Amino acid sequence: MAGMNFEEKEDMARYIVDLNEEFGMTVMMIEHDMGVVMDISHRVMVLDFGRKIAEGDPAAVLADPHVKRAYLGEEDEVLVDPDDKPAAPECAA
């Protein structure tokens, strides 16, 4: 979907979903737009320099630490706003 505007991407995504739903057709995509991938995929495989690093449902793959490291980078504690961190659980005695 490289080079497509938002409306064109929506049309293409709808077409792919329709192929799957109406005809039971499996569609294999190679796509870098993660919004499109996560919105329409039932199963995702992620490659890093040609090596498979994750495979499964989109939410699990997106949460995979290898995928985060390869595509999103590691979180830098220095740049994290302390207000954005979840509160530490309170211990009940």
Side-chain angles (χ1 to χ4, degrees):
M1 296 193 199
M4 291 183 173
N5 65 36
F6 181 76
E7 290 81 17
E8 292 167 333
K9 286 182 183 185
E10 279 187 331
D11 289 344
M12 182 60 74
R14 183 77 254 157
Y15 178 70
I16 292 168
V17 169
D18 287 347
L19 286 174
N20 178 257
E21 290 177 354
E22 291 181 28
F23 302 105
M25 190 178 291
T26 297
V27 179
M28 185 176 96
M29 300 186 321
I30 299 171
E31 179 57 56
H32 296 105
D33 185 324
M34 295 311 294
V36 170
V37 171
M38 294 300 151
D39 284 347
I40 68 173
S41 299
H42 298 282
R43 187 162 188 80
V44 176
M45 181 176 20
V46 178
L47 302 177
D48 186 28
F49 292 102
R51 196 179 102 236
K52 182 170 76 170
I53 60 172
E55 183 176 2
D57 69 87
V61 169
L62 197 56
D64 185 285
H66 298 293
V67 173
K68 286 181 178 180
R69 216 172 355 284
Y71 287 90
L72 305 176
E74 293 185 6
E75 185 174 81
D76 188 343
E77 291 296 322
V78 175
L79 299 176
V80 174
D81 185 343
D83 293 332
D84 292 341
K85 284 189 173 181
E90 294 183 24
C91 295

